[in-house]
Structure formats: structure tokens, C-alpha cells
Amino acid sequence: MSRMGDVLAGFHAAWEFESDSVLIRYERGLRTPKLLSALGERRIPLAAIGRVTLAPGKRGTVVLHAEPRPGADPLMEAAAGQLKEGCDPYRLVLPAERETLAEYYADELRSRLTGSEPADRFLVDAPEAPLSFKAYDGKASFDGRTVRFRWFWTGASSAKWKAGDQSFAVSELSGVEWRSPEVFEGHLRLLSGETTPVQADQDPATVVFGLGYGPVHESLPFAAAVLAAVRTRGPVAAVTASSPRRDPADIAERIRHLGELHRAGLVTDEEFSVKKAELLSEL
């Protein structure tokens, strides 16, 4: 850019222009879309940008939009076109009177772009692990190497309950399918080389969203982080049948919860004995 450190501030975000990247800092506030607040800030290499536009916005504004190259940003790849316009992290909304200044920076960016073809690797950093969120039927967590689904007794289907809590090493996965919680049948599905179509609420490799569960600002960064880890690890390794051993403290907590359900009459004697034996076998 013309001067390193130039800043263009708009509604909900400010762009700082550097020689080889744009540092975007998102505001934290009640009016800022929750996804942007959750992202905090992102450094976008100029090599990741395929196109820059400037267009009139709503109610006396203009919108500077830096469109990423396909395959350059794990967040946008995971979103797969499902983000609402106001949540697009590549849009900077400005008052209309700043159009001339915005056009100047748009031209500066355009002069630095190297191409719009799909990127062969992610060029923008994914949100950092550890990450977690609550879905309708379970809690999803990711430590950078392993994705874990811990089912909720009140929401998980019988198929997931019978399958038990799940752990997926990144090396077992081929991708992630994120369907926005703002549409019908929102979910996060982990894909592997052996994935076959299964209804989301019956699939142990899927957590289901719902009203208030799996919100975009929690589940999408999660999906992007997992997707980036999968792509970084390269080809999918063979899936092993054995499950990793769990933390004894987690097993003890599950058995305690199981006992509470048993005493409340929500689990039969047989179900209690079988599930307790399964949990103990994982120690």
C-alpha cells in the first residue's frame, strides 16, 4: 500500500493496510454481528484476495469488499456461501461521504493482487484451537488434533446414545460439512473416506443444531479450524476400529450422571448396568 499502517475505519471494523496483507480488526459491541466479534481480528494476505469491489450500500453507505480466492480461507470454505451479508468478514461498510477515500484504497488493493484462480492451500489462518460449542444433542470440542462429541442425554437420539460419545482424530477425516443453524436441519458433520449419507440426528459423526444451539459465531469458527487441520494433515489415514482411552475424570463424571438418571427412573436397571460396563471398559 502507499504507506504501511494506513487505517480505514468503517462500521464494525477497521482495515489496516500493510505491504503484503490487510489486518482487519472487528469491533466488540452489541451492534456488531456476533461472528465478527468472535473473530476479533484477522490478517488477510494480499495473495488470498482475488477481487476488490466498491458498491453503494444501504442507507447512505458504501461497501468495500475484498473477495477471497476460492480455497484461500478455511472460514469461507466451511461457510460455503451460507453467511448472511452482514456477517461477511470481508465487507467494510463506510459512510457514503468516504467513497472517494474508499475508492483510493480499492485501487491500491487491486494493483497488488496476483490472481483470482483457486488457491492450492489455505492462505488465511483458521481460528485457533481449543474450541467448543453446545449443539442441541451434544457438546463438540476440538483441541487441534481430535474432535470429540459428548452426547446430551436430553437431546441425543437413541442411535447416538447407543453409539456412545465419539472421538475423531484429524487423520481420520476428509472434510467437514457445516449447515448453518439459521436454516432447516442445521448441523456439523465430520466427513471421512467411508462417509455414507445418514440422517443428521442418527449419525454419530454429526451434531445437530437448533434454536439457540450451535450459533454461527461458535460453530462456524469450529468447523473452519477442523477443516484447516484436516487439509494441513494431508491424505486421510486408514480409520482404526479402536477408540482412544478417555480421561478417568470424564468417565467418573459420566457414571455419576448415569447414576442420577437411574435413580430418577429415566434409565432402567439393565440400561444402567450395560452403559456403566461400557464406560468402565474405556479406562
Side-chain angles (χ1 to χ4, degrees):
M1 306 304 295
S2 59
R3 297 190 304 277
M4 185 178 296
D6 282 3
V7 176
L8 184 61
F11 300 110
H12 309 316
W15 290 15
E16 181 175 342
F17 300 95
E18 300 184 355
S19 59
D20 60 352
S21 63
V22 178
L23 178 61
I24 304 178
R25 293 189 174 91
Y26 304 101
E27 292 181 356
R28 297 181 184 275
L30 295 177
R31 295 186 178 182
T32 303
K34 289 183 178 181
L35 174 62
L36 303 187
S37 292
L39 293 174
E41 70 175 42
R42 308 187 81 210
R43 185 176 298 279
I44 312 299
L46 298 184
I49 300 174
R51 181 168 176 254
V52 177
T53 62
L54 182 67
K58 299 176 182 178
R59 295 185 293 275
T61 64
V62 293
V63 179
L64 179 61
H65 190 201
E67 300 177 20
R69 293 166 57 190
D73 184 349
L75 187 83
M76 303 307 285
E77 290 298 299
Q82 298 175 74
L83 283 180
K84 292 182 177 179
E85 188 177 76
C87 290
D88 186 337
Y90 286 86
R91 295 174 78 251
L92 182 64
V93 182
L94 302 139
E97 57 266 25
R98 306 194 73 187
E99 181 175 3
T100 300
L101 183 61
E103 184 62 57
Y104 166 76
Y105 282 109
D107 288 340
E108 285 285 298
L109 282 173
R110 293 184 190 112
S111 70
R112 301 293 184 99
L113 301 185
T114 58
S116 59
E117 67 279 359
D120 59 2
R121 60 186 176 85
F122 289 138
L123 301 173
V124 183
D125 290 339
E128 294 183 0
L131 294 165
S132 65
F133 70 91
K134 288 184 178 180
Y136 172 73
D137 55 0
K139 179 179 180 179
S141 60
F142 178 53
D143 62 7
R145 298 186 299 273
T146 304
V147 182
R148 293 182 172 85
F149 293 161
R150 177 176 174 177
W151 305 122
F152 293 154
W153 297 69
T154 54
S157 64
S158 59
K160 292 181 178 180
W161 161 247
K162 290 177 181 178
D165 295 345
Q166 300 291 301
S167 295
F168 303 87
V170 165
S171 59
E172 299 174 359
L173 304 176
S174 61
V176 177
E177 177 186 89
W178 181 80
R179 185 171 175 83
S180 174
E182 297 175 344
V183 300
F184 181 62
E185 294 186 342
H187 61 259
L188 172 70
R189 189 191 303 271
L190 302 178
L191 306 176
S192 70
E194 301 177 356
T195 297
T196 55
V198 179
Q199 190 171 329
D201 66 347
Q202 302 296 311
D203 183 4
T206 304
V207 287
V208 176
F209 304 151
L211 185 61
Y213 294 95
V216 172
H217 70 282
E218 294 180 356
S219 61
L220 179 56
F222 185 104
V226 175
L227 180 60
V230 169
R231 296 279 180 88
T232 300
R233 289 296 296 261
V236 179
V239 178
T240 59
S242 59
S243 299
R245 292 186 178 275
R246 294 189 188 166
D247 183 352
D250 180 62
I251 295 294
E253 172 62 19
R254 296 292 284 164
I255 292 175
R256 184 192 65 78
H257 191 192
L258 181 63
E260 291 177 351
L261 293 173
H262 181 233
R263 288 190 293 274
L266 300 176
V267 175
T268 66
D269 292 343
E270 181 180 0
E271 290 172 333
F272 174 75
S273 298
V274 171
K275 190 61 181 178
K276 182 179 179 180
E278 289 179 0
L279 291 169
L280 290 172
S281 69
E282 295 176 10
L283 289 173

